[in-house]
Amino acid sequence: MLLRRRAPLLLAAAAGAGASLVAASSPSADGSGATSALHSVARSSHAIYTIGFVVVDYKYSLRGLAPGSADYRVHLRSAKKLLKLCEANRGFYVKAGQFVSSLRQVPKEYTSTLSCLQDQATPCKFQDVKIVIEQNFAKDIHDIFLEFDEHPIAAASIAQVHRAQLNNNQEVAVKVQYPGLEQRMKLDIMTMSVLSKSVSLIFPDYRFEKIVLEFERTMSMELDFTQEAKNSERTASCFRKNNVVKIPYVYRELTTKEVLTMEFCYGHKVDDLDFLRKADISPTKVAKALIELFGEMIFVHGFVHGDPHPGNILVSPQGQGRFSLVLLDHGIYKEFDPKFRLDYCQLWKALVSLDAQKILELGEQFGVGKYAKYFPLIFTGRTIDSKSALGTQMSSEEKMRLKQDLNSLGMYDISSFMESLPPDFLVILRTDGLLRSILGNLGVPRHVRLLAYAKCAMYGLEEQSRLESGAITRVFLRVKTNIIYLRLRILIELAGLLAQFNDYKRNVMEKLRWMLRKISLM
């Protein structure tokens, strides 16, 4: 009991000491060390108070209740607290909030509340942008660009983008990092790390150190624009034969760690339905192209764009209903371990073929143990012992069993599952969560994603076998893969037609019952 009472004080003491140390030793962007230190301590103190409040709120709200019996109120209350923290501290706290909102494994109150952070960004003054550019190239901005629009066309949590024109009249987009970010990131990450470790020491059920480490890795990558340039060029090489995918060309001579100059590409956000209708572009075709693009990244190349939110994917009309997908912001990428990529391909093969034993075996290889039985639920919306066809809704009996199973889970189970996942898996969960959100906005059926992933998983396995086989065997493998995919597609389409027929029959029966009730009242 004493430990519980002292929990907020312990959190404050542990995190506050680390925050103060970094703040005092970190130089500020404007040279005012004292002001920077005070600002840093204020940011850290706000984070400490908020996280302490959330943890204690959960601990006492759930006291005496059965595992999994918490209602939505504690989730919603805590999500709103975290939203206020992100809005107040901004910067990397906004990125952290975006990271959490993209994880489908957290309660829906968090994803719905924090999702508004995807569009939050306050641009900095043009004078600051001008200083960053001129310091990086040791030239006056007008010697570098023929024209430079002072008003940004986009602003994110770490950088903003300006439209400009080179001396050869080429139109470009210039991405400029906000000044002083690296020092703020070190402090913010240290605060998050200390808080995470302190929480796990006081309350062992709450363990999220691995998520913090993954967040730190992604942020370190995103702050180096030369790495983003390399990622962009590698992705362009992977999809050089794909006429639908467009990766903006990077001007290396005008790119540094803090400034990225690239080809300017026109387009609208991928989930802008009004634009798609006006351009006579099919949302279903856009969704299919998008999910096949990322399916190929995940299952075939093992090199994955880690931040596919709508602002980073544009649809550029090509006339007569045709389009290209413009992929932006290549700062966050993950290169999968080759064995992990193949195991993940095997997992999807097992998911579509309802091979429960193989799913559990792969769960052991991924290190998640008993939680592997939830893989079908996470990725395909079915239980591991489901008899329903892929892409269809669960039966009432399945839903009842699942509800009982999920009600037995506590916070320990959720954090243990997330902590046991390999780092590569965390990237997949985040990426898949963002893509499913886009597909939902486009209003396309679930089986579009399932079919694309199934096909790409089979091609991923075939690619490995192709590398290890002769020419005749490679042809045989491609034919076999196409036959398996065609069979799967037929089964899913038939299941979809059956579901539509059942819905139609149910609607007809409801109308008949309504008419009979009306007649009986006459």
Side-chain angles (χ1 to χ4, degrees):
M1 184 63 71
L2 179 61
L3 182 59
R4 288 182 179 177
R5 288 176 184 159
R6 294 177 58 195
L9 295 176
L10 289 171
L11 285 171
S20 300
L21 180 62
V22 175
S25 61
S26 299
S28 63
D30 60 3
S32 177
T35 302
S36 178
L38 288 172
H39 179 64
S40 299
V41 170
R43 285 162 57 85
S44 301
S45 299
H46 193 177
I48 294 160
Y49 167 77
T50 301
I51 301 300
F53 176 90
V54 168
V55 172
V56 173
D57 188 17
Y58 266 102
K59 198 69 176 179
Y60 283 95
S61 297
L62 305 186
R63 186 173 54 180
L65 298 179
S69 60
D71 60 36
Y72 76 95
R73 287 174 295 183
V74 65
H75 297 318
L76 187 60
R77 192 162 59 237
S78 299
K80 287 181 176 179
K81 280 280 184 183
L82 292 176
L83 176 61
K84 287 182 179 179
L85 170 65
C86 294
E87 289 175 335
N89 281 6
R90 308 200 63 79
F92 293 99
Y93 285 86
V94 171
K95 296 295 292 187
Q98 292 173 350
F99 188 86
V100 172
S101 71
S102 67
L103 293 174
R104 298 177 65 88
Q105 291 65 47
V106 301
K108 65 180 183 297
E109 288 78 19
Y110 284 90
T111 55
S112 60
T113 302
L114 298 175
S115 61
C116 66
L117 293 171
Q118 295 291 350
D119 299 319
Q120 285 202 13
T122 303
C124 71
K125 297 175 182 178
F126 172 69
Q127 189 60 33
D128 294 331
V129 168
K130 184 172 179 286
I131 290 172
V132 171
I133 292 173
E134 292 180 344
Q135 284 180 344
N136 274 264
F137 297 111
K139 290 182 181 179
D140 186 275
I141 191 170
H142 298 296
D143 292 333
I144 306 169
F145 302 102
L146 185 65
E147 292 182 10
F148 194 97
D149 190 346
E150 295 185 9
H151 303 286
I153 56 174
S157 53
I158 71 164
Q160 62 192 51
V161 181
H162 290 257
R163 197 168 173 174
Q165 199 171 18
L166 299 180
N167 290 318
N168 62 0
N169 294 318
Q170 176 66 47
E171 197 171 16
V172 293
V174 185
K175 183 176 178 180
V176 185
Q177 195 175 120
Y178 300 136
L181 268 184
E182 193 166 355
Q183 292 300 332
R184 288 202 296 274
M185 184 196 79
K186 289 178 181 178
L187 172 62
D188 290 344
I189 293 293
M190 174 176 279
T191 303
M192 293 176 193
S193 179
V194 172
L195 279 170
S196 174
K197 290 175 181 176
S198 301
V199 168
S200 64
L201 285 173
I202 299 165
F203 304 121
D205 287 1
Y206 299 74
R207 294 184 292 115
F208 298 104
E209 290 96 328
K210 188 174 285 187
I211 294 178
V212 173
L213 286 173
E214 179 60 25
F215 177 69
E216 180 180 5
R217 183 195 69 83
T218 58
M219 288 303 95
S220 298
M221 288 175 57
E222 199 169 5
L223 284 180
D224 186 353
F225 289 173
T226 59
Q227 182 60 49
E228 179 173 347
K230 292 176 185 176
N231 294 339
S232 176
E233 290 166 347
R234 180 172 172 181
T235 304
S237 176
C238 288
F239 293 94
R240 62 188 180 278
K241 297 180 181 178
N242 189 326
N243 295 326
V244 177
V245 179
K246 170 68 176 176
I247 310 297
Y249 175 78
V250 174
Y251 292 85
R252 278 306 195 103
E253 69 278 11
L254 293 176
T255 295
T256 66
K257 189 176 180 180
E258 297 179 320
V259 180
L260 175 67
T261 305
M262 57 195 151
E263 172 188 4
F264 188 91
C265 295
Y266 292 88
H268 289 250
K269 284 186 178 182
V270 67
D271 59 353
D272 187 341
L273 285 174
D274 289 338
F275 162 73
L276 294 179
R277 292 191 189 100
K278 290 176 183 176
D280 196 28
I281 296 173
S282 165
T284 301
K285 289 183 178 179
V286 170
K288 185 179 177 184
L290 173 66
I291 207 69
E292 286 184 350
L293 162 62
F294 277 87
E296 186 175 336
M297 280 186 174
I298 293 168
F299 295 100
V300 179
H301 302 298
F303 187 63
V304 185
H305 188 299
D307 197 20
H309 66 76
N312 286 339
I313 307 163
L314 305 181
V315 176
S316 180
Q318 302 298 312
Q320 299 180 331
R322 294 178 294 109
F323 61 91
S324 61
L325 288 179
V326 181
L327 192 58
L328 306 174
D329 198 350
H330 299 269
I332 302 176
Y333 266 77
K334 180 69 174 179
E335 183 167 12
F336 293 152
D337 175 83
K339 183 180 185 306
F340 173 86
R341 183 186 67 81
L342 291 174
D343 285 345
Y344 189 62
C345 289
Q346 291 285 0
L347 175 62
W348 265 89
K349 183 179 179 182
L351 288 170
V352 299
S353 61
L354 301 174
D355 190 344
Q357 185 56 42
K358 184 65 174 178
I359 292 171
L360 294 175
E361 288 177 9
L362 288 166
E364 291 296 329
Q365 293 187 43
F366 288 132
V368 300
K370 63 179 182 179
Y371 301 113
K373 69 177 183 178
Y374 297 110
F375 279 153
L377 178 64
I378 291 170
F379 292 113
T380 66
R382 298 181 302 175
T383 57
I384 195 166
D385 54 355
S386 176
K387 299 297 184 288
S388 58
L390 187 67
T392 60
Q393 297 290 338
M394 287 186 285
S395 65
S396 300
E397 293 78 10
E398 283 179 302
K399 290 180 180 177
M400 183 64 69
R401 289 198 302 271
L402 177 61
K403 185 177 180 180
Q404 293 171 350
D405 189 11
L406 293 179
N407 281 340
S408 67
L409 296 177
M411 193 64 198
Y412 172 80
D413 295 291
I414 297 173
S415 62
S416 293
F417 172 67
M418 297 300 288
E419 279 290 303
S420 61
L421 286 172
D424 291 352
F425 228 118
L426 291 173
V427 175
I428 281 178
L429 293 177
R430 169 179 163 76
T431 302
D432 189 51
L434 289 168
L435 291 172
R436 288 167 80 165
S437 176
I438 293 174
L439 298 187
N441 293 340
L442 290 171
V444 299
R446 288 193 307 163
H447 72 258
V448 169
R449 167 181 161 273
L450 299 176
L451 270 173
Y453 277 180
K455 179 175 73 173
C456 291
M458 292 171 195
Y459 286 163
L461 291 171
E462 177 214 320
E463 180 71 13
Q464 186 64 24
S465 300
R466 186 184 67 80
L467 294 173
E468 301 169 355
S469 308
I472 297 176
T473 306
R474 288 199 294 269
V475 173
F476 172 75
L477 286 170
R478 175 52 62 99
V479 172
K480 181 182 176 182
T481 299
N482 288 335
I483 291 173
I484 294 172
Y485 170 68
L486 181 61
R487 175 175 170 271
L488 175 64
R489 181 164 187 169
I490 291 171
L491 288 174
I492 289 181
E493 294 292 348
L494 287 174
L497 288 173
L498 180 62
Q500 289 179 9
F501 174 74
N502 288 334
D503 288 342
Y504 174 75
K505 184 171 70 173
R506 186 165 53 252
N507 290 335
V508 169
M509 292 301 296
E510 287 176 358
K511 288 181 179 178
L512 285 174
R513 280 194 287 268
W514 179 80
M515 292 173 63
L516 289 171
R517 282 197 300 271
K518 285 288 187 181
I519 293 171
S520 66
L521 293 173
M522 292 177 66

PDB file of all heavy atoms in Angstrom, residues 358-372 375:
ATOM      1  N   LYS A 358       0.206 -24.684 -37.461  1.00  0.00           N
ATOM      2  CA  LYS A 358       1.324 -23.920 -38.013  1.00  0.00           C
ATOM      3  C   LYS A 358       1.377 -22.516 -37.401  1.00  0.00           C
ATOM      4  O   LYS A 358       2.467 -21.995 -37.114  1.00  0.00           O
ATOM      5  CB  LYS A 358       1.188 -23.810 -39.539  1.00  0.00           C
ATOM      6  CG  LYS A 358       2.363 -23.121 -40.221  1.00  0.00           C
ATOM      7  CD  LYS A 358       3.641 -23.938 -40.078  1.00  0.00           C
ATOM      8  CE  LYS A 358       4.784 -23.321 -40.873  1.00  0.00           C
ATOM      9  NZ  LYS A 358       6.058 -24.069 -40.702  1.00  0.00           N
ATOM     10  N   ILE A 359       0.219 -21.922 -37.163  1.00  0.00           N
ATOM     11  CA  ILE A 359       0.161 -20.601 -36.538  1.00  0.00           C
ATOM     12  C   ILE A 359       0.796 -20.643 -35.155  1.00  0.00           C
ATOM     13  O   ILE A 359       1.586 -19.765 -34.785  1.00  0.00           O
ATOM     14  CB  ILE A 359      -1.298 -20.098 -36.460  1.00  0.00           C
ATOM     15  CG1 ILE A 359      -1.834 -19.798 -37.864  1.00  0.00           C
ATOM     16  CG2 ILE A 359      -1.390 -18.836 -35.589  1.00  0.00           C
ATOM     17  CD1 ILE A 359      -3.323 -19.514 -37.904  1.00  0.00           C
ATOM     18  N   LEU A 360       0.467 -21.671 -34.377  1.00  0.00           N
ATOM     19  CA  LEU A 360       1.015 -21.804 -33.023  1.00  0.00           C
ATOM     20  C   LEU A 360       2.522 -22.061 -33.069  1.00  0.00           C
ATOM     21  O   LEU A 360       3.276 -21.542 -32.238  1.00  0.00           O
ATOM     22  CB  LEU A 360       0.301 -22.923 -32.278  1.00  0.00           C
ATOM     23  CG  LEU A 360      -1.193 -22.671 -31.983  1.00  0.00           C
ATOM     24  CD1 LEU A 360      -1.834 -23.904 -31.356  1.00  0.00           C
ATOM     25  CD2 LEU A 360      -1.366 -21.466 -31.082  1.00  0.00           C
ATOM     26  N   GLU A 361       2.979 -22.867 -34.038  1.00  0.00           N
ATOM     27  CA  GLU A 361       4.412 -23.133 -34.184  1.00  0.00           C
ATOM     28  C   GLU A 361       5.172 -21.843 -34.510  1.00  0.00           C
ATOM     29  O   GLU A 361       6.238 -21.570 -33.945  1.00  0.00           O
ATOM     30  CB  GLU A 361       4.635 -24.156 -35.302  1.00  0.00           C
ATOM     31  CG  GLU A 361       4.215 -25.579 -34.946  1.00  0.00           C
ATOM     32  CD  GLU A 361       4.385 -26.529 -36.114  1.00  0.00           C
ATOM     33  OE1 GLU A 361       4.991 -26.108 -37.133  1.00  0.00           O
ATOM     34  OE2 GLU A 361       3.909 -27.679 -36.030  1.00  0.00           O
ATOM     35  N   LEU A 362       4.609 -21.055 -35.419  1.00  0.00           N
ATOM     36  CA  LEU A 362       5.260 -19.789 -35.782  1.00  0.00           C
ATOM     37  C   LEU A 362       5.233 -18.806 -34.614  1.00  0.00           C
ATOM     38  O   LEU A 362       6.147 -18.006 -34.441  1.00  0.00           O
ATOM     39  CB  LEU A 362       4.556 -19.174 -36.997  1.00  0.00           C
ATOM     40  CG  LEU A 362       4.809 -19.900 -38.324  1.00  0.00           C
ATOM     41  CD1 LEU A 362       3.821 -19.454 -39.385  1.00  0.00           C
ATOM     42  CD2 LEU A 362       6.238 -19.660 -38.802  1.00  0.00           C
ATOM     43  N   GLY A 363       4.184 -18.892 -33.791  1.00  0.00           N
ATOM     44  CA  GLY A 363       4.118 -18.058 -32.596  1.00  0.00           C
ATOM     45  C   GLY A 363       5.291 -18.320 -31.673  1.00  0.00           C
ATOM     46  O   GLY A 363       5.842 -17.379 -31.066  1.00  0.00           O
ATOM     47  N   GLU A 364       5.695 -19.575 -31.556  1.00  0.00           N
ATOM     48  CA  GLU A 364       6.858 -19.919 -30.735  1.00  0.00           C
ATOM     49  C   GLU A 364       8.129 -19.310 -31.331  1.00  0.00           C
ATOM     50  O   GLU A 364       8.996 -18.810 -30.610  1.00  0.00           O
ATOM     51  CB  GLU A 364       7.002 -21.447 -30.637  1.00  0.00           C
ATOM     52  CG  GLU A 364       5.902 -22.138 -29.831  1.00  0.00           C
ATOM     53  CD  GLU A 364       5.923 -21.717 -28.362  1.00  0.00           C
ATOM     54  OE1 GLU A 364       7.021 -21.415 -27.845  1.00  0.00           O
ATOM     55  OE2 GLU A 364       4.849 -21.678 -27.746  1.00  0.00           O
ATOM     56  N   GLN A 365       8.238 -19.341 -32.672  1.00  0.00           N
ATOM     57  CA  GLN A 365       9.418 -18.768 -33.319  1.00  0.00           C
ATOM     58  C   GLN A 365       9.465 -17.253 -33.158  1.00  0.00           C
ATOM     59  O   GLN A 365      10.538 -16.658 -33.019  1.00  0.00           O
ATOM     60  CB  GLN A 365       9.422 -19.144 -34.804  1.00  0.00           C
ATOM     61  CG  GLN A 365       9.612 -20.633 -35.055  1.00  0.00           C
ATOM     62  CD  GLN A 365       9.773 -20.955 -36.532  1.00  0.00           C
ATOM     63  OE1 GLN A 365      10.490 -20.258 -37.244  1.00  0.00           O
ATOM     64  NE2 GLN A 365       9.118 -22.013 -36.985  1.00  0.00           N
ATOM     65  N   PHE A 366       8.289 -16.623 -33.177  1.00  0.00           N
ATOM     66  CA  PHE A 366       8.229 -15.168 -32.980  1.00  0.00           C
ATOM     67  C   PHE A 366       8.417 -14.791 -31.515  1.00  0.00           C
ATOM     68  O   PHE A 366       8.613 -13.617 -31.187  1.00  0.00           O
ATOM     69  CB  PHE A 366       6.893 -14.613 -33.474  1.00  0.00           C
ATOM     70  CG  PHE A 366       6.746 -14.607 -34.975  1.00  0.00           C
ATOM     71  CD1 PHE A 366       5.602 -15.101 -35.577  1.00  0.00           C
ATOM     72  CD2 PHE A 366       7.754 -14.102 -35.782  1.00  0.00           C
ATOM     73  CE1 PHE A 366       5.452 -15.088 -36.955  1.00  0.00           C
ATOM     74  CE2 PHE A 366       7.616 -14.086 -37.160  1.00  0.00           C
ATOM     75  CZ  PHE A 366       6.459 -14.588 -37.755  1.00  0.00           C
ATOM     76  N   GLY A 367       8.324 -15.777 -30.617  1.00  0.00           N
ATOM     77  CA  GLY A 367       8.547 -15.517 -29.201  1.00  0.00           C
ATOM     78  C   GLY A 367       7.332 -15.051 -28.431  1.00  0.00           C
ATOM     79  O   GLY A 367       7.459 -14.553 -27.309  1.00  0.00           O
ATOM     80  N   VAL A 368       6.124 -15.228 -29.004  1.00  0.00           N
ATOM     81  CA  VAL A 368       4.918 -14.748 -28.314  1.00  0.00           C
ATOM     82  C   VAL A 368       4.176 -15.852 -27.575  1.00  0.00           C
ATOM     83  O   VAL A 368       3.210 -15.581 -26.855  1.00  0.00           O
ATOM     84  CB  VAL A 368       3.948 -14.054 -29.303  1.00  0.00           C
ATOM     85  CG1 VAL A 368       4.612 -12.865 -29.947  1.00  0.00           C
ATOM     86  CG2 VAL A 368       3.440 -15.027 -30.354  1.00  0.00           C
ATOM     87  N   GLY A 369       4.609 -17.116 -27.748  1.00  0.00           N
ATOM     88  CA  GLY A 369       4.033 -18.219 -26.992  1.00  0.00           C
ATOM     89  C   GLY A 369       2.523 -18.352 -27.150  1.00  0.00           C
ATOM     90  O   GLY A 369       2.000 -18.381 -28.262  1.00  0.00           O
ATOM     91  N   LYS A 370       1.808 -18.363 -26.017  1.00  0.00           N
ATOM     92  CA  LYS A 370       0.358 -18.622 -26.015  1.00  0.00           C
ATOM     93  C   LYS A 370      -0.445 -17.537 -26.731  1.00  0.00           C
ATOM     94  O   LYS A 370      -1.583 -17.761 -27.153  1.00  0.00           O
ATOM     95  CB  LYS A 370      -0.151 -18.744 -24.585  1.00  0.00           C
ATOM     96  CG  LYS A 370       0.005 -17.472 -23.752  1.00  0.00           C
ATOM     97  CD  LYS A 370      -0.540 -17.635 -22.349  1.00  0.00           C
ATOM     98  CE  LYS A 370      -0.411 -16.332 -21.538  1.00  0.00           C
ATOM     99  NZ  LYS A 370      -0.966 -16.479 -20.178  1.00  0.00           N
ATOM    100  N   TYR A 371       0.141 -16.356 -26.883  1.00  0.00           N
ATOM    101  CA  TYR A 371      -0.597 -15.257 -27.518  1.00  0.00           C
ATOM    102  C   TYR A 371      -0.698 -15.430 -29.036  1.00  0.00           C
ATOM    103  O   TYR A 371      -1.388 -14.659 -29.696  1.00  0.00           O
ATOM    104  CB  TYR A 371       0.064 -13.921 -27.196  1.00  0.00           C
ATOM    105  CG  TYR A 371       0.134 -13.630 -25.716  1.00  0.00           C
ATOM    106  CD1 TYR A 371       1.354 -13.581 -25.053  1.00  0.00           C
ATOM    107  CD2 TYR A 371      -1.028 -13.429 -24.974  1.00  0.00           C
ATOM    108  CE1 TYR A 371       1.425 -13.320 -23.686  1.00  0.00           C
ATOM    109  CE2 TYR A 371      -0.977 -13.180 -23.610  1.00  0.00           C
ATOM    110  CZ  TYR A 371       0.256 -13.117 -22.976  1.00  0.00           C
ATOM    111  OH  TYR A 371       0.314 -12.880 -21.623  1.00  0.00           O
ATOM    112  N   ALA A 372      -0.013 -16.435 -29.597  1.00  0.00           N
ATOM    113  CA  ALA A 372      -0.086 -16.676 -31.044  1.00  0.00           C
ATOM    114  C   ALA A 372      -1.511 -16.971 -31.495  1.00  0.00           C
ATOM    115  O   ALA A 372      -1.864 -16.722 -32.658  1.00  0.00           O
ATOM    116  CB  ALA A 372       0.826 -17.835 -31.432  1.00  0.00           C
ATOM    117  N   PHE A 375      -3.234 -14.171 -33.387  1.00  0.00           N
ATOM    118  CA  PHE A 375      -2.791 -13.706 -34.701  1.00  0.00           C
ATOM    119  C   PHE A 375      -3.936 -13.665 -35.716  1.00  0.00           C
ATOM    120  O   PHE A 375      -4.087 -12.677 -36.446  1.00  0.00           O
ATOM    121  CB  PHE A 375      -1.647 -14.581 -35.230  1.00  0.00           C
ATOM    122  CG  PHE A 375      -0.297 -14.217 -34.671  1.00  0.00           C
ATOM    123  CD1 PHE A 375       0.715 -15.165 -34.576  1.00  0.00           C
ATOM    124  CD2 PHE A 375      -0.017 -12.930 -34.247  1.00  0.00           C
ATOM    125  CE1 PHE A 375       1.970 -14.849 -34.068  1.00  0.00           C
ATOM    126  CE2 PHE A 375       1.229 -12.585 -33.734  1.00  0.00           C
ATOM    127  CZ  PHE A 375       2.224 -13.549 -33.648  1.00  0.00           C
TER     128      PHE A 375
END
